[in-house]
Amino acid sequence: MLTSILVVLVAGILLGLWFKAAALLAATAVLFVGILVWNALGLPSHMTIGKSLILMFCLACGYLVGLALSLHRNRNEE
């Protein structure tokens, strides 16, 4: 679970650095579909609703961190 949280955080940061909010919505949808497929295939480490919400929250937090870094970078360039 820790690895998936780190991966989702990094993905959120990268989204925040280069893309707008629509990309966050699309990434959240892709994450949700991926979780559904993971559970449907019966792969190990079954994802519960709680774990899914934690991952979506981490994605949004990572996006906000990336957005803040992007704004900071743009101010320093001016």
Side-chain angles (χ1 to χ4, degrees), residues 5-60:
I5 289 175
L6 291 175
V7 168
V8 168
L9 277 172
V10 170
I13 290 171
L14 292 176
L15 280 173
L17 285 173
W18 288 290
F19 298 107
K20 303 289 182 199
L24 176 63
L25 295 174
T28 303
V30 168
L31 178 64
F32 183 71
V33 169
I35 290 169
L36 289 176
V37 169
W38 186 271
N39 287 338
L41 293 175
L43 297 172
S45 182
H46 183 72
M47 296 297 287
T48 62
I49 293 174
K51 289 180 184 178
S52 302
L53 291 176
I54 289 171
L55 289 178
M56 288 180 196
F57 179 75
C58 289
L59 179 67

